Amino acid sequence: MTPQILLAHADSGQPWPEAPGATPGFDVPAAYQQALQVRALRIARGERPRGYKIGFTNRQIWPRYNVFAPIWGTVWHTTLTFCEGEGSLSLDATCQPRLEPEAVFGMQATPAPEASLDDLFEALDWVAPGFEVVQSHLPGWKFTAPDTVADGSLHARLLVGRRRPVREIATNARELDALLAGARVALQKDAAVVESGCGANVLDSPLRALHHFLCELRQCPGAPDLLPGDVITTGTWTDAWPVAPGEQWTAAFSTPLSDLRVRFD
């Protein structure tokens, strides 16, 4: 499929007629180049990149989805919402939406070249709880890794909760790494817990997931670097759960993150 067709399906929420990964030679590097073409089309029509999503950082779900390495894609001003603990999101024009509780970072600077975890800590501004709504334009969430990258890395929406300055909760990368790795979340639909998870599920910690992503981003030809003000969500602590309009979901995070609640329209 062409970038124009991919963008049309992203706009409409309609399933794809075929899988891009079925085309001979269409591998993950080729999918990133196509995703960058879609990014250029979105910018040309006035959308503003606001950062990135990292997907498939939770190794526990790799066999379930047949994707065995992290992926990344763009977050847009049209897909990003901030709140102080409770927000609402529209599911209009999403395709088979699912919900993921995540840790989200905000950047205050571009990380140094060959950045270490310590360098990355110095470039951070804040950390927050997040809900990412992910989607798949292939039936039954059956896809290959190149398909997921071509599908905007499955990104649909991102709700960011209360932001805390990282230096309010940690003095260095080691402290922040340990705090987020040890944090837990109980994902609730209405009042019922559907699954629990922890920060260590995402490549051992959200900070390490961010570091992995930064290295991958800088190895991708044509990909823009991280910039001050960018928002990066680092991957789900649980499985991704189907959602529908009218539902209310809560992520009850332990310290240093706060609870986050979302209502779907």
Side-chain angles (χ1 to χ4, degrees):
M1 286 187 286
T2 66
Q4 291 79 7
I5 292 175
L6 290 172
L7 181 56
H9 282 269
D11 288 341
S12 68
Q14 295 300 307
W16 288 343
E18 59 185 358
T23 302
F26 190 79
D27 56 11
V28 168
Y32 276 118
Q33 293 308 304
Q34 189 175 62
L36 289 172
Q37 294 177 52
V38 175
R39 176 185 167 106
L41 291 174
R42 295 183 77 148
I43 292 172
R45 71 182 188 183
E47 288 189 77
R48 300 190 304 276
R50 290 297 313 275
Y52 296 94
K53 69 79 50 85
I54 318 171
F56 292 109
T57 52
N58 188 335
R59 300 184 186 98
Q60 295 184 5
I61 66 174
W62 287 359
R64 198 168 303 154
Y65 294 99
N66 200 35
V67 176
F68 296 91
I71 60 172
W72 57 267
T74 303
V75 171
W76 301 91
H77 87 279
T78 50
T79 64
L80 176 63
T81 302
F82 291 97
C83 71
E84 285 300 314
E86 183 171 342
S88 61
L89 292 175
S90 171
L91 296 176
D92 287 349
T94 61
C95 191
Q96 304 178 98
R98 298 188 179 192
L99 187 64
E100 301 180 340
E102 311 193 1
V104 187
F105 290 110
M107 307 302 300
Q108 68 174 1
T110 297
E114 308 295 330
S116 65
L117 284 182
D118 291 326
D119 295 327
L120 188 54
F121 179 83
E122 293 302 320
L124 292 175
D125 185 6
W126 51 262
V127 64
F131 269 138
E132 186 183 18
V133 176
V134 289
Q135 62 181 341
S136 173
H137 288 87
L138 286 172
W141 279 70
K142 302 298 183 183
F143 38 58
T144 64
D147 294 328
T148 66
V149 173
D151 203 356
S153 289
L154 309 184
H155 175 67
R157 307 280 190 272
L158 177 60
L159 179 68
V160 180
R162 186 168 72 88
R163 290 164 278 177
R164 295 187 65 185
V166 294
R167 287 153 195 83
E168 178 184 291
I169 61 177
T171 60
N172 55 51
R174 181 177 178 180
E175 288 183 9
L176 183 64
D177 185 44
L179 280 170
L180 292 175
R184 299 197 61 83
V185 68
L187 181 63
Q188 304 171 13
K189 180 181 180 182
D190 297 322
V193 174
V194 297
E195 190 178 352
S196 297
C198 65
N201 284 350
V202 293
L203 296 187
D204 302 323
S205 84
L207 186 63
R208 292 177 186 272
L210 179 62
H211 186 259
H212 173 89
F213 157 70
L214 178 63
C215 297
E216 292 294 308
L217 180 72
R218 288 176 168 175
Q219 293 174 14
C220 180
D225 204 352
L226 281 180
L227 296 173
D230 276 352
V231 172
I232 307 95
T233 190
T234 53
T236 185
W237 295 17
T238 66
D239 197 358
W241 286 81
V243 291
E247 294 178 351
Q248 179 172 281
W249 289 73
T250 301
F253 284 96
S254 65
T255 186
L257 301 178
S258 55
D259 292 355
L260 181 60
R261 181 174 294 109
V262 62
R263 300 180 309 277
F264 288 113
D265 301 327

